[in-house]
Amino acid sequence: GLADLGNVYNDGALSNRNVIINGEFLVWQRSDNGYSGGGQAYVSADRFTTTRGRIRKPNTNVNTGEDNRGAVFDTTDGNVYAHFDYAVEDVGQTLNGKTMTFSFYAKVLSGGTTLLLEDTGGDHLDFGGNRYITLTSNWERYTVTGTLVSTGASSGVVMPRLYLNPTGVAEPRMIQVDQFQLEVGDTATPFEHRSYGQELALCLRYFNKLTYGANDTPILNAAYYNSAGAYGSVSLQTEMRVYPTLVVSAASDFKSLSNGSSKIPTSINISGSSTKNPELVIATAGHVQGHAAFLRTNNTSAVMTLDAEL
């Protein structure tokens, strides 16, 4: 242990050495159990994507052998070439050309034991080509060391891609994974744990799910620029990576109060270019230009998501 710590100290880091966010799968803003039947998508655990696969919390179905840690990567829905990805944001290409070590824990829950780590090319961790590893039913740590290649692309630097059915055979498989880490140097040091609050704050830079849970909850103050639309900004606790896109559960889940009346918006959109206080446009009809307004929830289903993912 002392030798490992001495090595990582020489490489320039002791704390904040893991550049992978949510590597311990503490944050699940989107869903506890998400599936992508087609293209690459963020479906559940923050910062991890899947293509033709499922990422879910352990014990969200009935399956013997799932510990209460990490995540389950699942291909039992039957798709082929299912893979799981993670992209690192490299602001200013500070990681380009560095020797870095990627590590994670995994075990087989069901299906085959072979896992392909794909060397994806492009902006990636170059570890000398694809590598097959054999998993067991026990937790084991797996590591690869390579050179990080970064051109500063907006899509980020892709970590070794985990393929569960690389041969194109629709084999139902489940593996459990945990403690993904990418760090400078040629040695995998002990996993760097962060608190839930720290991990959530890091995740909110990329995705922010605003849930309210009660009817008539205040969201923001606004003013009618004209009779058809009120403008107001929502304050975020964490500045987002880039100007986000907005999705609301349904416009009818919200209401605009102004001049003694309440109206259901026809739409709620995002305007302006702020990454910390994005401005919303609440479209209604029949209000008065210049009047103050209040955006509130209209039921318990109201949800807004702000997306600035890689």
Side-chain angles (χ1 to χ4, degrees):
L2 289 175
D4 286 346
L5 288 174
N7 186 80
V8 76
Y9 178 80
N10 290 335
D11 286 326
L14 281 176
S15 62
N16 297 315
R17 63 186 184 277
N18 186 10
V19 300
I20 287 180
I21 296 168
N22 204 32
E24 204 171 2
F25 297 94
L26 297 179
V27 183
W28 300 72
Q29 289 191 83
R30 293 173 176 84
S31 167
D32 289 351
N33 191 333
Y35 175 67
S36 172
Q40 184 177 15
Y42 294 93
V43 294
S44 53
D46 280 53
R47 302 295 304 119
F48 286 84
T49 65
T50 182
T51 303
R52 295 179 292 275
R54 181 179 297 277
I55 303 176
R56 60 177 177 79
K57 277 187 177 180
N59 304 310
T60 50
N61 75 348
V62 179
N63 183 67
T64 302
E66 293 183 20
D67 300 320
N68 191 28
R69 59 178 281 193
V72 176
F73 289 175
D74 189 338
T75 68
T76 55
D77 299 273
N79 276 315
V80 298
Y81 299 118
H83 57 83
F84 302 84
D85 294 81
Y86 186 97
V88 170
E89 181 185 11
D90 184 21
V91 178
Q93 295 175 254
T94 58
L95 300 176
N96 184 46
K98 292 186 180 296
T99 297
M100 302 195 75
T101 297
F102 173 74
S103 61
F104 65 100
Y105 285 84
K107 70 173 184 174
V108 172
L109 295 173
S110 65
T113 60
T114 301
L115 179 68
L116 170 62
L117 298 184
E118 184 186 36
D119 196 333
T120 60
D123 280 22
H124 71 302
L125 180 67
D126 182 358
F127 55 95
N130 295 346
R131 185 174 304 179
Y132 288 89
I133 59 177
T134 301
L135 305 181
T136 73
S137 58
N138 298 314
W139 285 107
E140 302 284 350
R141 195 181 198 192
Y142 302 92
T143 68
V144 292
T145 297
T147 303
L148 194 129
V149 179
S150 173
T151 64
S154 60
S155 55
V157 180
V158 179
M159 294 301 94
R161 174 174 289 162
L162 277 64
Y163 259 106
L164 263 68
N165 4 49
T167 63
V169 177
E171 179 188 1
R173 297 185 62 192
M174 287 187 286
I175 68 170
Q176 193 166 357
V177 296
D178 196 11
Q179 297 187 9
F180 281 72
Q181 183 154 287
L182 178 70
E183 57 192 311
V184 174
D186 58 6
T187 303
T189 64
F191 180 77
E192 181 181 17
H193 298 276
R194 289 188 286 254
S195 70
Y196 175 81
Q198 290 173 307
E199 213 71 77
L200 176 61
L202 293 171
C203 290
L204 291 177
R205 176 172 165 78
Y206 303 88
F207 182 78
N208 205 317
K209 184 177 182 180
L210 305 175
T211 57
Y212 303 98
N215 186 26
D216 218 32
T217 300
I219 299 172
L220 56 84
N221 299 330
Y224 274 89
Y225 176 73
N226 52 41
S227 61
Y231 288 70
S233 60
V234 57
S235 295
L236 304 177
Q237 65 186 72
T238 300
E239 184 169 4
M240 303 198 75
R241 185 183 67 88
V242 294
Y243 180 51
T245 58
L246 172 73
V247 175
V248 300
S249 50
S252 59
D253 291 336
F254 303 85
K255 58 188 174 185
S256 174
L257 283 67
S258 181
N259 198 29
S261 66
S262 174
K263 295 184 182 296
I264 303 300
T266 56
S267 66
I268 300 175
N269 298 302
I270 198 164
S271 175
S273 57
S274 175
T275 55
K276 185 64 183 293
N277 300 289
E279 185 177 60
L280 304 189
V281 182
I282 303 109
T284 59
H287 280 308
V288 179
Q289 178 179 343
H291 279 190
F294 310 92
L295 182 66
R296 295 185 178 182
T297 60
N298 193 43
N299 53 49
T300 59
S301 301
V303 175
M304 293 184 182
T305 62
L306 294 158
D307 193 329
E309 289 284 9
L310 295 169

